Structures are given as C-alpha cells and as structure tokens.
Amino acid sequence: MALPTDNTTASPTEPTLLELLAGLKYHDFGIRHFADDGVVRSYAPNGTVLDYVKLNAAQVQEMVDRRGRDDHLDEVYRGVDGHNVTDEKQCTNPPDHLLPVNHKAWIKNVTAEMHAVQEMANGITDAKLLPIAFENSQHPSTAPAAPHDGSSETNDLQPRSEYPTHPYPALRCWIHDCMKNADCIPRGCFHCGVTDEYPDGLCDP
C-alpha cells in the first residue's frame, strides 16, 4: 500500500493544500474523496484506498471554500481537523459513512468502463489511432491497486506534482462533471474530486 501523506507538524515549509493534494497517488480510473473526518482519500477503481492525506482545520476550511458558498458543507466540516483521526484503519479502510456516496455502484460502473477501454486499446495495433484520453488512461493499468484488507501488496503509482498552466486552472476545471480522474485529464485537469455526500464529482486542477 502507498505510504500515507500525513503532515502533522507545522513548519515554515509546510506544503500548501494544493501541494498536498498533488502529492497523493492516483489511478486514472479512480477518484478523490474529501470525507467528513477531514481526510482526503484517493480511491482505485476497485474501491480501495491508494493514498490519503489528513488536513488540518485551516486546510479543511480551504477545501470547503473551494466549493463556493454551501451552508451544508459549512455545517458538516465546522471544527473538523483530520489530524484528530488517529486510527490508521479508518484512513485506509473507512467505514460506510465515510465512503463516497453510491460507492459500490461507482466501482461497478468505472470497472466496466475501464475494461471496455482496455479491450478497445488491445484491439488497435496502431497506437497513433488511440484517442489521447484512452492512451492516457492506460498508464496506471499495470500497477495493482492496494488491497482492501490492508495487506502488504504495493502500488507503484507516482504522485502528480505538476499542475496545468492556466491563469485560473480551478475555474476552468470546476465547470466539468466527472466520474473518474481520466474524465478530467483531456481538459488539462488532474483529479475528479468528490466532497462529502454529494454524488457528482467535479474536475479539479
């Protein structure tokens, strides 16, 4: 399993929220979920947690503010600090109430789509004919997702450390709905972010 990204000690060089999110490991057919406990988890298409980061109270509020005015989110995340989560199992294998909404249905749908894309790619002998989005989606396919039982199987996915060049990348990304990270890549965005109990994801830089 990928090592957790848990920055609990504040320092002058403490990463920004965007740097923390970029440092997570992602699967192109996965999603990123900001849960009610202040922990952001990156999910593989099989529903397992690839990586996570605990946000402090200020970072939690910054995540909420990124969604614009939302009284529901203000109430849910008021006083939440992800550093208060001390149970490793909760981070890597969260209970149902901390999972994304319709998680099982999402796993089924995204897995079927991933297999369809892989079959299509396998049937094309000339790589130049592959659409860019499909070609990009194949990059992580050789890396096994972290097992849900927390065993020692590893994942060699790399974090995404660079953001697209755009004066206001968030504004460009947030207008797009998504079901998986790969939906956002062709638009110059890296992640499909889901917040709290909202069923729809939004592309995120």
Side-chain angles (χ1 to χ4, degrees):
M1 174 178 288
L3 293 176
T5 308
D6 180 10
N7 295 276
T8 57
T9 303
S11 72
T13 58
E14 183 175 4
T16 66
L17 173 63
L18 290 182
E19 289 170 340
L20 289 175
L21 298 179
L24 288 169
K25 290 177 171 57
Y26 292 87
H27 191 294
D28 283 353
F29 276 82
I31 56 170
R32 186 191 72 205
H33 182 237
F34 176 35
D36 297 359
D37 58 355
V39 178
V40 177
R41 297 172 179 84
S42 175
Y43 285 91
N46 65 358
T48 60
V49 175
L50 288 175
D51 202 1
Y52 68 85
V53 60
K54 300 177 185 179
L55 304 184
N56 62 35
Q59 292 162 345
V60 167
Q61 187 59 50
E62 186 176 349
M63 282 288 284
V64 172
D65 292 342
R66 283 160 61 86
R67 287 296 298 254
R69 180 174 177 82
D70 190 314
D71 293 340
H72 169 73
L73 294 184
D74 287 340
E75 178 65 26
V76 168
Y77 290 101
R78 183 175 294 119
V80 172
D81 187 333
H83 291 170
N84 292 332
V85 179
T86 58
D87 184 359
E88 174 74 8
K89 184 177 180 181
Q90 178 174 322
C91 294
T92 59
N93 191 5
D96 288 347
H97 73 277
L98 293 176
L99 291 173
V101 172
N102 301 325
H103 194 51
K104 291 182 179 179
W106 173 82
I107 294 171
K108 180 179 179 180
N109 292 336
V110 78
T111 300
E113 184 174 344
M114 181 174 65
H115 289 165
V117 170
Q118 290 174 339
E119 289 178 4
M120 180 181 296
N122 292 337
I124 299 177
T125 57
D126 186 350
K128 295 180 181 179
L129 299 179
L130 282 173
I132 293 177
F134 286 175
E135 185 176 6
N136 286 342
S137 72
Q138 300 310 300
H139 293 171
S141 61
T142 58
H148 202 45
D149 61 5
S151 63
S152 60
E153 184 179 352
T154 60
N155 186 293
D156 61 0
L157 295 180
Q158 298 301 312
R160 293 174 178 161
S161 58
E162 296 181 359
Y163 284 96
T165 301
H166 190 281
Y168 303 102
L171 297 181
R172 180 204 47 209
C173 294
W174 290 342
I175 63 174
H176 299 294
D177 294 336
C178 56
M179 185 178 74
K180 59 189 183 302
N181 295 320
D183 294 337
C184 304
I185 294 173
R187 301 182 173 100
C189 314
F190 279 161
H191 316 128
C192 180
V194 180
T195 299
D196 184 37
E197 60 184 17
Y198 290 159
D200 299 324
L202 293 176
C203 290
D204 206 3

